[in-house]
Amino acid sequence: MQTQHVPVMLEEVLKFLQPGPGGVYIDGTVGGGGHTEAILERSAPDGRVLGIDTDAQALARVQARLAEPVKNGRLLLRHGNFAELTHIVNEVGFASIQGILLDLGFSSDQMDNPERGLSFSSDGPLDMRLDQTQPVSAADLVNSASEQELADIFWRYGEETRSRQIARRIVRARARGAITRTAQLAELAAAGAPYKPGAIHPATKTFQALRIAVNSELEQLETVLPQILDVLSIRKREVKAGGEGSDEGGRMVIISFHSLEDRLVKEFMRREAKDCLCPPRVPVCVCGHKARLRLLTHKPVVPTPQEVAANPRARSAKLRAAEIVVSS
């Protein structure tokens, strides 16, 4: 039940999330539990954390690793997707939440387990599902989607310029027999592409695209962003109405690992940090939109060279953070 995962940009997460004694926080992507553990330490002795993850195996590892805070009620673990954030928060009765973290990357425990099918470094079943209760695996998608659908997936989610060639090759190959192994897919995706050791493997974008499609990652991210805003805004309104606690706004910290995720987060935060969303040609605001966020990171924060050297999987990480504001 031990984890091999190293939490990415841990000090930066703590800097922007600012967990403190007695605080209430949500880690929407528990993973290996590294960020969760650090938040619990900073919020001791009576701070609480709600940890959510779609991966039941990850939750089991964290349940064992952080058994003491689970036992004393400081850590509450729930199996589910962060896209169901509002429902989960209401279900468990979490209130006055001061910070929410999403680390959208995959843990080393997941990537290094061939049975999960997330990597082509070792052959394994072509699965890729983070939540094993989900019905559609990567193999199901690869063997049932049309050539055009596959090409669209590889282009939209992987920005793969060879998307049509790879899709055509897959359709031809599956006519001879089902594609069920990661090694099979990697060979098809990399065929004919030059590769030098140290460079990005030519199958990387195909695997990324399939993983995103299988787990509906972008759709779930789009779904959760406004929920984070609403969940954090409840506490801010309570404080402004005379409730207990600091008047500082709740904070959201999000770590992404590819441009599609980062673009969604960036555009959402920038939009919600504006008072007016009317087109420039409109002389007077008619939308009535009021800023609900204050940007804490105008540009993404990236790992230090020292962290990348120690943990190469952190190299593509980008952190963005914002603080809730509520108009009078």
Side-chain angles (χ1 to χ4, degrees):
M1 300 300 291
Q2 295 299 310
T3 179
Q4 303 300 315
H5 186 63
V6 178
V8 172
M9 289 197 284
L10 180 58
E11 291 306 314
E12 292 86 346
V13 165
L14 296 174
K15 172 186 173 183
F16 287 106
L17 197 65
Q18 292 189 338
V24 181
Y25 305 93
I26 296 176
D27 185 345
T29 47
V30 167
H35 290 123
T36 305
E37 183 176 31
I39 295 168
L40 285 166
E41 290 174 355
R42 291 290 180 95
S43 63
D46 53 350
R48 299 174 67 210
V49 177
L50 169 61
I52 304 169
D53 208 287
T54 61
D55 187 346
Q57 293 179 20
L59 287 174
R61 283 191 293 269
V62 174
Q63 176 102 22
R65 176 184 171 190
L66 302 179
E68 184 59 30
V70 169
K71 181 180 178 181
N72 63 31
R74 291 191 58 216
L75 174 59
L76 184 62
L77 298 174
R78 280 295 179 271
H79 180 246
N81 193 287
F82 57 61
E84 305 166 322
L85 180 67
T86 303
H87 171 74
I88 294 173
V89 166
N90 291 335
E91 184 180 56
V92 301
F94 249 53
S96 297
I97 295 155
Q98 293 165 256
I100 297 177
L101 168 68
L102 296 182
D103 174 359
L104 303 174
F106 289 79
S107 73
S108 295
D109 303 309
Q110 294 165 329
M111 295 297 293
D112 294 341
N113 182 355
E115 294 303 309
R116 305 306 297 270
L118 291 164
S119 172
F120 47 80
S121 57
S122 299
D123 185 34
L126 190 56
D127 192 324
M128 297 193 184
R129 292 173 298 169
L130 292 183
D131 184 350
Q132 297 292 299
T133 66
Q134 294 298 311
V136 180
S137 69
D140 294 327
L141 197 54
V142 163
N143 288 289
S144 65
S146 69
E147 182 177 324
Q148 184 62 53
E149 287 171 335
L150 288 172
D152 287 346
I153 288 170
F154 300 150
W155 170 251
R156 185 183 307 122
Y157 298 141
E159 299 175 311
E160 173 57 77
T161 56
R162 299 181 298 115
S163 59
R164 294 182 183 224
Q165 301 170 36
I166 296 170
R168 189 177 307 119
R169 199 175 294 124
I170 287 172
V171 170
R172 289 175 178 172
R174 75 189 190 192
R176 299 189 294 270
I179 300 167
T180 60
R181 309 288 297 181
T182 56
Q184 288 176 279
L185 179 62
E187 183 179 358
L188 292 167
Y195 172 64
K196 294 181 180 179
I200 295 176
H201 192 279
T204 300
K205 292 181 178 180
T206 299
F207 269 69
Q208 172 188 299
L210 269 177
R211 190 201 71 221
I212 291 173
V214 166
N215 295 291
S216 302
E217 292 175 29
L218 298 184
E219 293 85 354
Q220 289 167 355
L221 179 58
E222 284 185 299
T223 300
V224 75
L225 289 173
Q227 294 182 62
I228 292 176
L229 210 52
D230 291 340
V231 167
L232 291 175
S233 294
I234 291 173
R235 175 182 175 274
K236 183 70 172 179
R237 288 194 294 270
E238 290 171 347
V239 172
K240 289 181 75 68
E244 296 181 359
S246 167
D247 192 41
E248 292 183 358
R251 295 185 166 208
M252 56 190 297
V253 177
I254 302 179
I255 303 173
S256 60
F257 285 80
H258 57 74
S259 61
L260 299 175
E261 290 174 337
D262 182 59
R263 192 177 306 141
L264 283 176
V265 175
K266 176 182 70 175
E267 291 176 354
F268 175 82
M269 287 186 174
R270 287 183 177 177
R271 181 173 67 252
E272 294 300 334
K274 292 180 179 180
D275 268 339
C276 174
L277 302 178
C278 294
R281 65 179 179 275
V282 177
V284 179
C285 177
V286 295
C287 71
H289 186 270
K290 296 296 182 182
R292 299 177 67 189
L293 286 177
R294 179 174 69 87
L295 299 180
L296 300 174
T297 53
H298 291 275
K299 292 184 178 180
V301 177
V302 298
T304 63
Q306 293 80 5
E307 179 174 3
V308 173
N311 180 20
R313 285 178 171 166
R315 64 184 179 276
S316 59
K318 292 182 178 180
L319 181 151
R320 294 185 186 269
E323 183 181 40
I324 294 295
V325 296
V326 176
S327 301
S328 302

